Amino acid sequence: MKEIELTCKLGKELSEDEIRAAAIKALGASPREKVNWCLLRRSIDARTDVIYRYRIQVARASESLPQYHIPEYKDVSSAEPVIVVGSGPAGMFASLRLLMEGLKPVILERGRDVHKRKVDTALLSTKGIVNPDSNYCFGEGGAGTFSDGKLYTRSSKRGDIREVLHQLVSFGADPSILLDAHPHIGSDRLPVIVEKIRECIIQHGGEYHFDCRVTDISTLSDGNLRVSAESSLPGAGPTFFEARNVILATGHSARDIYEMFTRKGWELQAKGFALGVRVEHPQSLINKVRYHGKYQPFMPAAEYSFVTQVEGRGVFSFCMCPGGLLVPSSTAPGELVLNGMSNSGRNSKWANSGVVVSVEPEDLPEYSQHGPLALLRFQQDVERKMFEYTGSLKAPAQRMMDFCRRVPSENLPATSYHPGAVPAPLYDLLPENVALRLKLAFPQVGNKLIKGYYTNDALLLGVESRTSSPVRIPRDPDTLEHVRVPGLYPCGEGAGYSGGIVSSALDGIACAQKIAARQ
Ligand SMILES: Cc1cc2nc3c(=O)[nH]c(=O)nc-3n(C[C@H](O)[C@H](O)[C@H](O)COP(=O)(O)OP(=O)(O)OC[C@H]3O[C@@H](n4cnc5c(N)ncnc54)[C@H](O)[C@@H]3O)c2cc1C
């Protein structure tokens, strides 16, 4: 068995004859001998010509190639329940893993199902109405549902990524995600996949409870945990659930969960995160730069990413959405946060990305009185300041070069951000340490990393502040339980153990496996 690499021009597929000939050559086989092959990876290389680079595993016919099979889901109708708080990637993939382990997931989700959620996100974008339980972060499928659906992660050590990708394909994602180096699904396809995951969980005996916001967790004398939840429906009283194990996967925007921990005196830790702006360029400019002027309409919208250091802190691009749209991802009235998403075709006129600066607890001595919630309070203050400037979900915005020169933008280019943008002294609205580093970083990126990036055709909009959780819920590294509360598994991005769809899904799987191993 060997791995080989083949290339072909973008827009062409490798033919079976080409692969067979290369396999025969690599294996030293005779021209008529049968060979097996399996495509492992496909990436775009635009360094000289624009080509696909394929990694292919090849073997003689007598050797079989390793294949991945999704473990079977069991009927868990009468199995031991495990409460899963949150139906984001961490909660969904934890639940699927619980089915495989013969345990019954009982999912409590503060938001609404994916169809009703679409209505709420539309109201948010068009009318500025924020439903605090159903928005771009909260609701079925979590923050990943209306996203770009990028599926890459650097965290291959966290678990078997194949489990996540193969399950996504089994629920309707395009099989190309198994092959592409930078796979993505898109906001038009994700809701259907999320719905199919729910159907699978219910069919196998699991439960979903929507409009079920967890407000308290308490320990009982018999070792069980009691979870209290509230509904936003008028007149609905509290509901109570009990189980020995609870997976808490509420995401980085569930500030009320951190407040609950504080109230109860349960341990939390302040955690560094990153904050900055959303940057929007014309996609045509990014295509031109990244494909070195060789872009053709059949090629995928070009991506970029960069990391640089400015004045001792990382400045980096975050969650880049080629051919994407900017959306308001506020979770409460009076705050303004932007994020990016895209459809599967990635065919809008814009390329957007967060460009953010790392913020560490020691950078904010003035917030130290808030203890573990110091960075969360800082994040909240910046989001409120942005909202107060425009008094609505319109985003304060400045052209890139104007921002760096600290001069006002007289007018703004068109933007994909539906609520709209308002010319503003964005530099002065951002915390000084963040604004200064961004000002130094943009020309540097344009000069050294992405030629053409530093331009006044690029628009900066405030604020990108939900890059990861500013709080960690500490857990035992071996059992994954909270350091004080046995049976409680802080999980996913909100607990501070993942960032992005795939790594959150992997963390969910890891928590479910720990629970199963103790049965
Ligand atoms: C617009 C947007 C685009 C994004 N694009 C990408 C991308 O392309 N690729 C990528 O990898 N990542 C992307 N992300 C980030 C990604 O979505 C998150 O990293 C991921 O969803 C985190 O998974 P999670 O399950 O830990 O938490 P979440 O997805 O945040 O899920 C938490 C869930 O818990 C629920 N919840 C919260 N509080 C309570 C409560 N008290 N009671 C009951 N339920 C509660 C919420 O409603 C939510 O459903 C994007 C995020 C956004 C907002």
Side-chain angles (χ1 to χ4, degrees), residues 84-93 107-112 117 132-153 183-187 190 209-216 227-230 248-257 260 278 318-321 325-329 337-342 346 464 466-468 491-505 507-508:
V84 179
V85 188
S87 71
M92 282 189 298
F93 281 86
I107 299 175
L108 312 183
E109 168 55 58
R110 75 191 295 161
R112 309 211 292 165
R117 196 176 162 198
D133 291 312
S134 181
N135 45 58
Y136 278 100
C137 292
F138 295 158
E140 186 177 15
T145 307
F146 301 107
S147 74
D148 188 37
K150 282 179 286 296
L151 297 175
Y152 29 106
T153 175
H184 82 109
I185 296 183
S187 254
L190 283 158
H209 299 263
F210 289 114
D211 206 351
C212 191
R213 185 185 345 105
V214 168
T215 51
D216 192 35
V227 177
S228 320
E230 283 174 9
L248 186 70
T250 44
H252 62 25
S253 292
R255 289 173 173 160
D256 41 4
I257 290 291
M260 178 192 91
R278 272 272 150 189
F318 171 79
C319 187
M320 197 259 154
C321 300
L325 305 171
L326 291 169
V327 293
S329 55
V337 191
L338 268 67
N339 212 313
M341 62 175 235
S342 74
R346 285 182 161 170
E464 166 62 90
R466 306 274 176 103
T467 48
S468 69
C491 176
E493 192 161 35
Y497 298 100
S498 61
I501 295 170
V502 174
S503 66
S504 302
D507 199 51

Side-chain angles (χ1 to χ4, degrees), residues 2-19:
K2 279 194 165 168
E3 274 188 26
I4 60 172
E5 192 177 274
L6 289 182
T7 58
C8 77
K9 282 214 166 215
L10 234 67
K12 274 187 72 184
E13 286 299 320
L14 274 182
S15 74
E16 292 209 351
D17 286 345
E18 281 173 297
I19 302 175

